[in-house]
Amino acid sequence: MSKLYILFEHAAGFALFRVAEFEELAAFLPQVEESVTDLQKFNSVVSLIGFQPFKSAVSALENINAVSEGILSEDLNLFLEGALPKKKKRSKCTLGVLDPKLGAAVSEVLEIPCSHIGAVPELIRGIKFHFHALIKGLTLKACSVAQLGLGHSYSRARVKFNVHRVDNMIIQSIALLDQLDKDVNTFSMRIREWYSYHFPELVAIVPDNHLYTKCAEYVKDRKSLTEESLEPLTEILGDSEKAQAIIDASKMSMGMDISPVDLINIQMFAGRVVSLSNYRKQISEYLHTKMNSVAPNLTTLIGDQVGARLISKAGSLTNLAKYPASTLQILGAEKALFRALKTRSNTPKYGLLYHSTFIGRAGLKNKGRISRYLANKCSIASRIDCFSENQTTVFGEKLRQQVEDRLKFYETGDIPMKNIEVMKLAMEEAGQQALEEETPKKKKKKKKDKKQEVEVEAMEE
């Protein structure tokens, strides 16, 4: 007759229970569900075999982290070794666990069959409900304090771990970049309308928003422009002809006169818009740096902004890596997809990937094909970036070249290299780069070791 043991992980420690009449319980599962809330009935079914409290809060956190990841910790291994029957008798026993991953790890190490189905979940629910009554010396208040403390430390550890995942910074910076683009465009239109009352001809000469705002900040009153203003305007615009045209237009302008107070306000507003534009450039450089450090292959393949938008839409680089290529292809076109499914029309061919240069360069007939191919390569690049330990752009360069070759194939019919061959070359190059990086590190270590030996010898003398 097989015996059932239940492993329960609590904030206070690990507990092992033995279940009486296991086979009968499995047959009467509805009755078990009803008796879970009744302590007297439940006590007749479950009996405590062993309880191992955690030594400290640090030990509790380490063990719970291991359990959450499905890893058998040393403390849990020692506890189960001592509490369970000997190895010869374990074949007739079954260990009930809540997490199937942990069950697989336990059965591999301790050679005991594990189960997480049938009556096991209901029995664990009952143990959780009556845990403070099943363990001697443990009160409900002590249980809640232990759970609260471990919950805080576990959450804090997770947040700290998440801080180092700088894809959060990418999500925030791309959102800020998009917001700055909207704001700068809105403010530039406002400054154009406002300053055009005084100098309407400037709009036709300087159509660029950023340069127009800089000119408005410098010029102020158009009547103050002289031939001496040619050099500063040339520095701003980078074109002496345009600078001369501004000076000539200021002499024959049809704009109205504005009071000095109004001009000061226009100048202050123009200065704010210029500073926002400069800050937008800084954020763009920051995003480029972050993307190169977090997702170098994805950045090399489709660029930093498109890559950042994909990560932002997915929620994280890990989520993006988990997506299949078909999902990645239409990421950002969810409304169009559901509209197409509702109306039974053609589904969208691309979402955020449309902003990539490859789709713009492809012919009208090949846009869908290149989008599908590019999504496949982006999926590979994101997985390499997410799960590889050594960061390199070799795979991104090779994947980009593959997309380029595919575009040529659609245009000219030249057959590109097979994916297996390209990946073999990329693996070889990545291996060579890793060796080149390791060589100087080894030399530095040797120098440090020699210095330490010399210092030790000097101390002994």
Side-chain angles (χ1 to χ4, degrees), residues 1 3 5 84-94 111-113:
M1 186 177 175
K3 295 177 182 178
Y5 293 89
L84 285 169
K86 293 180 181 179
K87 283 191 177 181
K88 292 178 182 178
K89 296 179 181 179
R90 282 180 193 171
S91 58
K92 294 179 181 179
C93 301
T94 306
E111 298 174 4
I112 183 169

Side-chain angles (χ1 to χ4, degrees), residues 441-454:
K441 287 180 183 178
K442 285 180 180 178
K443 287 180 180 178
K444 283 180 181 179
K445 279 185 180 179
K446 284 180 181 179
K447 284 181 180 179
K448 281 184 180 179
D449 292 339
K450 282 182 181 178
K451 279 184 180 180
Q452 285 175 357
E453 285 175 7
V454 170

Side-chain angles (χ1 to χ4, degrees), residues 152-169:
H152 279 305
S153 56
Y154 181 78
S155 302
R156 200 177 293 115
R158 283 290 170 193
V159 169
K160 280 183 181 176
F161 173 75
N162 215 15
V163 165
H164 299 297
R165 295 291 302 173
V166 283
D167 52 3
N168 289 336
M169 304 301 126

Side-chain angles (χ1 to χ4, degrees), residues 93-112:
C93 301
T94 306
L95 181 66
V97 292
L98 192 63
D99 186 11
K101 287 182 183 177
L102 181 64
V106 170
S107 60
E108 189 180 344
V109 177
L110 299 176
E111 298 174 4
I112 183 169

Side-chain angles (χ1 to χ4, degrees), residues 332-399:
E334 288 82 7
K335 283 185 181 178
L337 174 67
F338 291 119
R339 194 190 309 122
L341 292 171
K342 192 176 180 180
T343 57
R344 294 184 181 179
S345 56
N346 293 332
T347 53
K349 295 173 184 175
Y350 29 67
L352 292 167
L353 286 179
Y354 182 76
H355 299 291
S356 173
T357 55
F358 295 113
I359 293 169
R361 284 160 52 195
L364 192 63
K365 291 181 181 178
N366 298 322
K367 280 187 186 293
R369 294 167 76 186
I370 200 67
S371 172
R372 190 162 56 250
Y373 190 80
L374 180 61
N376 183 20
K377 299 304 168 190
C378 286
S379 183
I380 293 167
S382 62
R383 286 166 191 174
I384 291 167
D385 289 329
C386 184
F387 301 114
S388 64
E389 292 178 1
N390 300 322
Q391 289 187 338
T392 175
T393 57
V394 171
F395 293 99
E397 288 163 8
K398 293 292 180 186
L399 291 168

Side-chain angles (χ1 to χ4, degrees), residues 7-290:
L7 172 66
F8 184 70
E9 311 92 18
H10 191 265
F14 294 118
L16 188 71
F17 295 88
R18 184 179 170 180
V19 182
E21 301 170 357
F22 167 52
E23 290 178 358
E24 290 179 17
L25 281 173
F28 299 101
L29 189 59
Q31 285 85 338
V32 174
E33 290 175 6
E34 289 174 9
S35 66
V36 157
T37 52
D38 190 351
L39 182 59
Q40 286 184 350
K41 288 182 181 178
F42 197 71
N43 259 330
S44 63
V45 174
V46 172
S47 58
L48 181 68
I49 298 294
F51 175 66
Q52 182 182 323
F54 294 127
K55 295 174 184 176
S56 63
V58 177
S59 173
L61 182 60
E62 286 174 1
N63 281 288
I64 293 300
N65 276 329
V67 167
S68 66
E69 290 168 15
I71 299 166
L72 182 65
S73 62
E74 287 183 17
D75 291 347
L76 181 57
N77 188 10
L78 289 168
F79 171 63
L80 290 175
E81 280 281 5
L84 285 169
K86 293 180 181 179
K87 283 191 177 181
K88 292 178 182 178
K89 296 179 181 179
R90 282 180 193 171
S91 58
K92 294 179 181 179
C93 301
T94 306
L95 181 66
V97 292
L98 192 63
D99 186 11
K101 287 182 183 177
L102 181 64
V106 170
S107 60
E108 189 180 344
V109 177
L110 299 176
E111 298 174 4
I112 183 169
C114 293
S115 175
H116 64 280
I117 55 173
V120 171
E122 288 302 321
L123 290 165
I124 290 174
R125 187 165 71 90
I127 292 166
K128 188 178 181 181
F129 191 74
H130 301 295
F131 188 74
H132 62 280
L134 296 169
I135 307 294
K136 287 183 180 179
L138 192 67
T139 61
L140 185 61
K141 190 177 179 181
C143 277
S144 61
V145 168
Q147 286 171 343
L148 186 66
L150 184 60
H152 279 305
S153 56
Y154 181 78
S155 302
R156 200 177 293 115
R158 283 290 170 193
V159 169
K160 280 183 181 176
F161 173 75
N162 215 15
V163 165
H164 299 297
R165 295 291 302 173
V166 283
D167 52 3
N168 289 336
M169 304 301 126
I170 288 168
I171 291 165
Q172 294 301 325
S173 57
I174 192 64
L176 177 59
L177 200 65
D178 289 340
Q179 189 63 47
L180 281 173
D181 283 336
K182 288 177 186 176
D183 292 347
V184 167
N185 284 333
T186 306
F187 294 154
S188 297
M189 290 300 295
R190 182 63 50 224
I191 200 80
R192 276 167 175 265
E193 286 182 22
W194 199 357
Y195 195 63
S196 289
Y197 291 126
H198 177 63
F199 195 0
E201 292 81 8
L202 188 61
V203 175
I205 300 165
V206 187
D208 184 72
N209 285 339
H210 184 59
L211 293 177
Y212 181 91
T213 311
K214 278 189 169 183
C215 287
E217 187 188 14
Y218 171 75
V219 172
K220 301 168 197 169
D221 189 355
R222 67 170 191 273
K223 291 176 182 177
S224 64
L225 285 177
T226 59
E227 293 299 324
E228 292 175 1
S229 308
L230 185 64
E231 281 185 23
L233 282 171
T234 307
E235 283 180 18
I236 292 167
L237 297 168
D239 188 350
S240 58
E241 290 180 5
K242 281 187 178 180
Q244 188 61 52
I246 289 169
I247 293 168
D248 295 340
S250 67
K251 293 171 184 175
M252 300 179 289
S253 177
M254 296 176 68
M256 62 182 280
D257 291 334
I258 293 183
S259 67
V261 177
D262 295 331
L263 282 172
I264 287 166
N265 278 292
I266 291 170
Q267 185 195 356
M268 285 171 64
F269 183 51
R272 293 289 177 89
V273 177
V274 169
S275 63
L276 266 180
S277 299
N278 293 332
Y279 179 60
R280 193 249 175 229
K281 286 179 183 176
Q282 289 176 13
I283 288 290
S284 183
E285 289 169 7
Y286 165 76
L287 178 65
H288 181 71
T289 310
K290 282 287 180 189

Side-chain angles (χ1 to χ4, degrees), residues 373 376-377 380 399 402 416-425:
Y373 190 80
N376 183 20
K377 299 304 168 190
I380 293 167
L399 291 168
Q402 276 189 294
M417 285 176 70
K418 288 184 178 179
N419 190 53
I420 296 171
E421 294 171 5
V422 174
M423 287 297 110
K424 279 182 181 177
L425 287 170

